[in-house]
């Protein structure tokens, strides 16, 4: 007998978990970098206070939300954008695209070019957030892998790169 | 040939091209189920006598519901709402946009207001907010450059709230683009040069930036060839009808290329020079194009090299050793700017230092360069540029483009 079964959305639990962990870590690292790295701090300074940014996977997440408080302090606001007023949302269109991105098989810019990321919000803010994520990736990833993720690997001072990396890892893990 | 692992391409506009094709408009409207068009145009176009040519060519075949011939350069939401009112009042059922980018965008705005039956246009700003087909829209470009007749975007200002809104939807692509040589015949030489250089930039950036693909590449290559073969001749002989038609075709082809593959840093900086200093878009494009190529050279010299063929022809291409082709492309574009400068009696600018306003003052003041650099950092075209640019890179490119000296290659950072 034909069962006409309904296929519920979802599935791919391992990929979901992997992307969720990556997003969680990137979110906390953005918060940390805003306090450690001057270039990241400057990008956030130029954005309005209480600016909220969300990055995640369509349609059901996971997401990460980062925002500025009214006093301008950058904070990781968790994985759930529901109920928050989002100024800028960057949505990766499906789980496979997110995997390509977070396993660094496709660089950030290329993902945007290939319509795998849609941007909802102000374009200058989106440019700023892309730069922030590029910088955070340089901190978090070894050069060999970061080079795959970004267009141009920067030449930073020893201090910025290695001390910064330690401080950002430390803060991201502890979450402050 | 570069085949990316993934790409998207769409070019759904019907092109009607020829020396006397305005006469086809009534038949095209009928095919689209329309019989009473609303013509939208601006002062310049109507005082150049182009509106009359259009109305004379189509009046035997169709009732023209209304004509609005006073669209300002920076049209906005209020004007669009007023015109939509007239559209409804006169019982029109379609739009003919006669003009450049601003007129075509205004017509797209009116079309949204009418088709969605709304008074709040801004509700539909952003990507993908339009859910159904709009009224038939026929675009008749009167400059050969912007390529707006092929694009799915409209930029509309809201002066009250001091912002510009972007509308993106496949439903915004005009149904028909009518390229009639009579429409660009009276374009002055300097304008012809600048707008064609804008089209050249669309093609070159589409071909060298990150979203390039085989479909847009073909459009870009053909556009480049049409421009390089015809531009100088048309500037020297404004009455060259075939040349005019070739440039109009090139602009539309380049529009198809860049509306799919997008543009890069030349446009990012060009938009910013336009918004900070008011430099006309085509002029900024002419100046910046060689700099964009120089800057991206280390990343995409193999693609730039391929442009030598449509730019210079098969003979020069074959005679130039492979490793010199990309540099030769930059030289040829600089030479083209120089030739256009000479042919227009100095009106066509080669660098920003010689762009003057009506009173003979610099349009791009040197002190504004930091402002320009900062604004350019917020331009979405940067996503598509093959190499990254930070604030200092923007400054370096702008300073070179101001002085008219090539970029020092050892200062271009590669990582
Ligand atoms: Fe352009």
């Amino acid at each position: 007998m034909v069962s006409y079964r309904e296929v519920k959305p979802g599935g791919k639990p391992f990929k979901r978990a992997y992307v969720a962990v990556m997003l969680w870590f990137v979110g906390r690292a953005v918060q940390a970098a805003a306090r450690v790295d001057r270039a990241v701090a400057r990008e956030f300074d130029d954005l309005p206070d209480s600016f909220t940014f969300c990055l995640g996977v369509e349609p059901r997440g996971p997401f990460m939300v980062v925002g500025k408080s009214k006093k301008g302090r950058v904070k990781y606001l968790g994985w759930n954008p529901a109920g928050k007023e989002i100024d800028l949302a960057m949505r990766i269109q499906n789980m496979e695209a997110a995997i390509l991105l977070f396993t660094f098989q496709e660089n950030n810019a290329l993902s945007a070019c290939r319509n795998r990321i849609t941007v909802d919000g102000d374009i200058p803010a989106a440019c700023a957030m892309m730069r922030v994520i590029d910088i955070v990736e340089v901190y978090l990833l070894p050069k060999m892998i970061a080079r795959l993720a970004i267009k141009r690997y920067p030449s930073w001072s020893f201090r910025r790169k290695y001390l910064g990396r330690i401080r950002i890892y430390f803060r991201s893990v502890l979450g402050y | 040939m570069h085949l990316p692992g993934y790409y998207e391409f769409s070019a759904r506009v019907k092109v009607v091209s020829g020396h006397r094709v305005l006469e086809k408009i009534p038949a095209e409207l009928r095919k689209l189920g329309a019989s009473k068009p609303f013509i939208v145009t601006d002062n310049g176009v109507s005082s150049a006598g182009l509106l009359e040519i259009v109305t004379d060519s189509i009046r035997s075949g169709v009732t023209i519901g209304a004509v609005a011939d006073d669209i300002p350069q920076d049209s906005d939401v209020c004007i669009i709402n007023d015109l939509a009112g007239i559209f409804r009042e006169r019982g029109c059922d379609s739009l003919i946009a006669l003009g450049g980018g601003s007129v075509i965008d205004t017509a797209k705005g009116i079309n949204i207001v009418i088709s969605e039956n709304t008074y709040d246009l801004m509700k539909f700003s952003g990507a993908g907010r339009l859910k159904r087909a709009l009224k038939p829209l026929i675009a008749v470009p009167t400059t050969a450059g912007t390529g707006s007749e092929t694009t799915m975007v409209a930029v509309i200002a809201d002066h009250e709230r001091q912002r510009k809104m972007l509308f993106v939807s496949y439903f915004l692509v005009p149904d028909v683009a009518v390229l009639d040589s009579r429409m660009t015949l009276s374009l002055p030489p300097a304008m012809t040069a600048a707008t064609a250089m804008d089209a050249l930039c669309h093609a070159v950036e589409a071909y060298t930036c990150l979203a390039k693909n085989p479909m847009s590449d073909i459009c870009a290559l053909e556009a480049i060839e049409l421009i390089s073969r015809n531009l100088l001749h048309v500037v020297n002989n404004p009455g060259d009808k075939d040349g005019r038609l070739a440039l109009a075709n090139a602009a539309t082809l380049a529009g198809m290329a860049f509306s799919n593959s997008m543009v890069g840093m030349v446009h990012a900086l060009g938009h910013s020079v336009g918004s900070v200093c008011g430099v006309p878009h085509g002029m900024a494009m002419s100046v910046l194009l060689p700099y964009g190529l120089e800057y991206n050279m280390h990343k995409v010299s193999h693609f730039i090299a391929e442009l030598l063929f449509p730019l210079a022809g098969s003979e020069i291409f074959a005679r130039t050793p492979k490793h010199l082709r990309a540099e030769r492309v930059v030289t040829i574009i600089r030479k083209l700017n120089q030739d256009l400068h000479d042919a227009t009696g100095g009106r066509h600018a080669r660098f920003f230092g010689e762009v003057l306003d009506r009173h003979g003052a610099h349009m791009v003041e040197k002190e504004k360069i930091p402002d320009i650099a900062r604004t350019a950092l917020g331009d979405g075209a940067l996503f598509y540029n093959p190499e990254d640019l930070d604030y200092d890179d923007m400054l370096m490119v702008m300073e070179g483009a101001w002085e008219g000296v090539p970029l020092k290659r050892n200062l271009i950072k590669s990582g």
Side-chain angles (χ1 to χ4, degrees), chain B residues 259-279:
Chain B
S259 55
N260 286 283
S261 291
M262 312 308 280
V263 285
M265 64 176 282
V266 173
H267 271 79
L269 275 166
H271 293 150
S272 156
V273 174
S275 70
V276 176
C277 304
V279 175

Side-chain angles (χ1 to χ4, degrees), chain B residues 16-17 49 92 147 200 205 229 247 272-273 288 324 339 364:
Chain B
V16 181
S17 159
C92 298
L200 184 66
E205 290 211 287
R229 291 225 180 135
L247 293 181
S272 156
V273 174
L288 287 164
L324 297 178
D339 292 343
V364 184

